[in-house]
Amino acid sequence: MAKKIIRSHIGAKLAAGFFLLLLVACGSQKADKRRFFRYNEQAGISSLDPAMARNQANMWPAHQLFNTLVEVDDSLHIVPSLALSWEVSEDRLRYTFHLRRDVYFHDDPSFPNGKGRLLNASDIVFSLSRIRDPKTASPGAWIFNNKVDSVQPFVALNDSTFQLVLLKPYHPILGILSMQYCSIIPREAVDAYGRDFRRHPVGTGPFRFVAWEEGQALVMARNDRYFETDSAGNRLPYLDGIKVSFYDSRATEFLLFRQKQLDFINDIDASFKDEVLTKRGTLRKEWERKVRLHTHPYLNIEYLGILVDSVNGPAGSPLYARKVRQAINYGFDRRKMILYLRNSLGTPAESGFVPAGLPSFNDSIVKGYTYDPVRSNRLLTEAGFPGGKGLSPVKLLTIPIYADMASFIAKQLSEVGIPIQVEVVQKALLLEMTANQRAPFFRGSWIADYPDAENYLSVFYSRNPSPPNYTRYNNPRFDRLFEQALAETNDSLRYRLYQQADQLIMEDAPVVPLWYDKVVHLVQPEVKGFEPNALNLLELRHTRF
């Protein structure tokens, strides 16, 4: 009987939701612009369950619908969110969090009388335990691996006090807890919807779920009981809601933006970059009063990954030779690529894998690769392939939006004798191939989940699975440096260990760093309080028109 009642409520909720969806879509431009923030998700959203927030497309709505214990502020500091405060035990193994007592879950049919209840510490235990549960199949299951106590890692001491217990001291744990994977959800909703929770999310965030027609539109509405206020005491958020469309064409997205049917677009497609931007990355004169350009250093590195596991990987790959990998790194001009193909929106990655913007970044200590075709040729000769003679063609897998980058790199590498065959595949297939070690050479990117170099270096830690260790890199010396850094409480010493580990990655070359990214937004002039951030999270709590 309970399930029938819930389904009845769900049907009514969806009907009301789609009515609102039509109202928003068909209402006047003036009313829509004033009240609903509109953006397009060209990549599509696969799930609204935060346990599946593995990419930016899924993370953006998760950030609107849910909260975490702690979060990252504009200065990349860890600050309270659901937790008001916390203490760390002297042995640094126990983190005790004191929760806010004014946080309510969104109203939902899964609760008695459909009324959202007060959040408590048992919800934190349930949510974090669920990430680790194999039945959830979360791609974020690895985040607590070898970090938390194996018997009882998450404890509700009382309704308002939660404790996390570590296996050993682990400095970045607060950063881990700020990830969207660690969003807090109610057991009632998961029990009620089961696998369909992906389509019926219930959280505590500034916006609540209304309706999602996959491939068509997603609507979220203002959470009137949201706990945060602005400096004047006004309850956040200011917006009435958010509408997400799913046009898969960047040309269509750009046209809708020009027609003021979208309030911003993220990044600028190569097909119209030159129309909007100069080669130096500024707005062309004719666009200056029509839109605003927002750029910000982005904790994201774009790279080419190389599978280095010769035991389990494809037989006979020339990329198992370190000198061939180094020759690839020296064999193309990153600066020219960023100038002409990115309109200077990015910094050539000539240091390590850890990008600019993090406090441990130091390009005078960590030395990467610059364009040096002479050195590239010499390394090929030392590897037994003088001028590329005898070197079998290498297939580079990429996704459509990076096909021009791959072609540029392939052309320059061919000039030093490295034959590259570019193969363009869909993103889902590339992710599946990299996860299963079927991609010897592939385009990748790594966006920081939290602002610590550990998040980048964990990509190469041999105990981590794929993801995140897509290259299957395994170097005991690197592992020792990485583990020492995690246990180090002195920031200066920890940064030095990070730099040594990053330098080792550059020498072994399981990756080809391309550029350190920038957040690039085109924004309608009337949008206020919408600023980019280093994690490129969609932050709408303070946005208004």
Side-chain angles (χ1 to χ4, degrees):
M1 179 65 72
K3 284 185 179 177
K4 282 187 179 179
I5 292 171
I6 286 175
R7 283 175 184 167
S8 173
H9 281 302
I10 291 168
K13 180 179 177 182
L14 285 174
F18 284 114
F19 175 76
L20 176 60
L21 186 66
L22 290 171
L23 184 67
V24 172
C26 302
S28 73
Q29 284 293 313
K30 187 175 179 183
D32 188 22
K33 279 170 55 181
R34 189 166 55 246
R35 305 176 70 173
F36 276 76
F37 187 89
R38 302 153 306 166
Y39 77 92
N40 183 62
E41 185 48 75
Q42 183 255 343
I45 294 170
S46 61
S47 176
L48 295 173
D49 182 344
M52 303 301 163
R54 67 180 297 170
N55 56 29
Q56 184 174 275
N58 289 4
M59 288 164 67
W60 279 7
H63 190 58
Q64 319 311 320
L65 296 165
F66 304 98
N67 295 100
T68 47
L69 276 172
V70 296
E71 63 181 3
V72 179
D73 70 7
D74 291 341
S75 302
L76 300 181
H77 297 134
I78 301 291
V79 296
S81 182
L82 295 178
L84 274 172
S85 62
W86 57 89
E87 299 108 31
V88 184
S89 63
E90 200 170 312
D91 61 6
R92 295 182 289 121
L93 296 180
R94 285 175 172 76
Y95 285 68
T96 304
F97 297 87
H98 304 284
L99 307 182
R100 297 182 66 110
R101 301 306 290 153
D102 57 352
V103 180
Y104 290 84
F105 286 109
H106 303 151
D107 292 349
D108 187 80
S110 59
F111 295 117
N113 302 316
K115 199 72 175 171
R117 63 165 174 81
L118 189 69
L119 173 137
N120 60 57
S122 63
D123 297 312
I124 317 295
V125 175
F126 170 73
S127 301
L128 301 187
S129 300
R130 180 173 175 263
I131 302 168
R132 304 178 73 213
D133 187 344
K135 287 184 288 187
T136 306
S138 169
W142 62 273
I143 64 175
F144 292 120
N145 283 357
N146 306 307
K147 300 177 182 75
V148 298
D149 183 73
S150 56
V151 178
Q152 197 172 19
F154 312 124
V155 184
L157 298 180
N158 55 50
D159 279 354
S160 62
T161 313
F162 165 76
Q163 190 171 83
L164 180 147
V165 185
L166 298 175
L167 276 174
K168 54 190 175 184
Y170 180 72
H171 179 81
I173 191 63
L174 291 175
I176 291 278
L177 293 174
S178 74
M179 296 170 68
Q180 264 62 53
Y181 287 131
C182 297
S183 298
I184 306 308
I185 61 176
R187 180 187 292 272
E188 294 95 324
V190 175
D191 288 346
Y193 299 120
R195 291 187 179 277
D196 224 25
F197 182 72
R198 64 177 285 276
R199 288 186 47 82
H200 299 282
V202 182
T204 60
F207 297 91
R208 59 181 175 81
F209 174 74
V210 174
W212 179 27
E213 179 68 18
E214 294 189 51
Q216 299 297 316
L218 164 67
V219 175
M220 295 171 274
R222 183 180 192 270
N223 174 14
D224 292 329
R225 287 207 292 176
Y226 188 58
F227 58 89
E228 285 191 279
T229 59
D230 64 16
S231 57
N234 300 307
R235 190 172 292 275
L236 298 175
Y238 303 128
L239 295 168
D240 284 346
I242 304 166
K243 179 191 171 189
V244 187
S245 56
F246 298 101
Y247 297 101
D248 59 5
S249 164
R250 297 303 297 265
T252 301
E253 179 183 74
F254 186 56
L255 177 63
L256 290 171
F257 177 74
R258 291 187 67 171
Q259 294 172 345
K260 293 187 174 292
Q261 294 184 51
L262 295 175
D263 293 304
F264 100 111
I265 53 176
N266 179 56
D267 210 354
I268 308 176
D269 191 71
S271 61
F272 49 82
K273 264 193 175 72
D274 290 335
E275 179 186 344
V276 180
L277 301 176
T278 68
K279 289 299 181 188
R280 295 298 172 186
T282 59
L283 281 175
R284 291 191 177 277
K285 204 167 190 65
E286 58 270 30
W287 283 86
E288 286 179 356
R289 293 180 182 176
K290 296 178 182 177
V291 301
R292 285 185 291 131
L293 172 67
H294 289 174
T295 63
H296 193 283
Y298 185 12
L299 295 183
N300 174 46
I301 183 170
E302 297 288 336
Y303 69 94
L304 304 180
I306 301 172
L307 184 64
V308 293
D309 181 4
S310 59
V311 176
N312 300 302
S317 171
L319 300 182
Y320 294 144
R322 184 170 72 160
K323 288 186 176 181
V324 172
R325 301 195 298 268
Q326 292 173 336
I328 290 173
N329 268 287
Y330 282 119
F332 68 99
D333 192 336
R334 292 165 175 81
R335 296 185 184 190
K336 184 180 288 186
M337 181 176 70
I338 299 305
L339 176 64
Y340 290 108
L341 298 183
R342 291 283 299 171
N343 293 73
S344 302
L345 295 176
T347 304
E350 296 177 346
S351 181
F353 191 76
V354 175
L358 284 172
S360 63
F361 178 85
N362 190 324
D363 57 4
S364 67
I365 294 175
V366 181
K367 299 295 185 182
Y369 296 89
T370 56
Y371 182 46
D372 191 340
V374 174
R375 195 165 184 179
S376 182
N377 264 307
R378 187 168 72 244
L379 285 162
L380 285 178
T381 300
E382 291 171 2
F385 305 105
K389 187 177 180 181
L391 192 62
S392 56
V394 176
K395 185 182 292 183
L396 171 58
L397 296 172
T398 187
I399 58 177
I401 61 172
Y402 292 103
D404 57 342
M405 303 286 177
S407 297
F408 174 90
I409 293 167
K411 183 177 184 302
Q412 287 210 308
L413 290 179
S414 69
E415 294 169 4
V416 296
I418 303 174
I420 301 293
Q421 296 174 346
V422 176
E423 182 174 330
V424 178
V425 299
Q426 292 306 306
K427 189 172 185 178
L429 177 59
L430 183 56
L431 286 171
E432 188 269 329
M433 292 180 73
T434 53
N436 292 291
Q437 296 182 226
R438 295 195 294 113
F441 195 29
F442 58 92
R443 173 265 162 193
S445 67
W446 192 260
I447 303 171
D449 299 300
Y450 47 89
D452 194 291
E454 181 270 347
N455 193 220
Y456 289 89
L457 298 175
S458 67
V459 172
F460 306 99
Y461 186 49
S462 68
R463 292 191 181 183
N464 280 340
S466 173
N469 190 355
Y470 291 112
T471 66
R472 304 310 301 146
Y473 179 71
N474 186 342
N475 184 327
R477 185 179 162 210
F478 172 88
D479 288 351
R480 284 193 298 272
L481 287 167
F482 183 73
E483 289 167 357
Q484 287 172 29
L486 298 188
E488 182 54 65
T489 57
N490 180 291
D491 284 347
S492 297
L493 294 177
R494 188 172 71 259
Y495 295 163
R496 182 61 182 152
L497 290 166
Y498 283 158
Q499 290 156 3
Q500 290 175 26
D502 203 7
Q503 186 63 63
L504 189 56
I505 289 295
M506 289 303 97
E507 292 166 6
D508 284 344
V511 287
V512 182
L514 301 178
W515 71 88
Y516 309 127
D517 213 352
K518 281 185 180 179
V519 175
V520 182
H521 292 168
L522 288 181
V523 186
Q524 299 291 0
E526 57 269 28
V527 176
K528 308 297 179 187
F530 177 65
E531 300 298 332
N533 53 73
L535 296 176
N536 200 18
L537 274 179
L538 188 67
E539 185 50 72
L540 295 173
R541 282 173 286 188
H542 292 86
T543 300
R544 64 170 86 209
F545 293 99

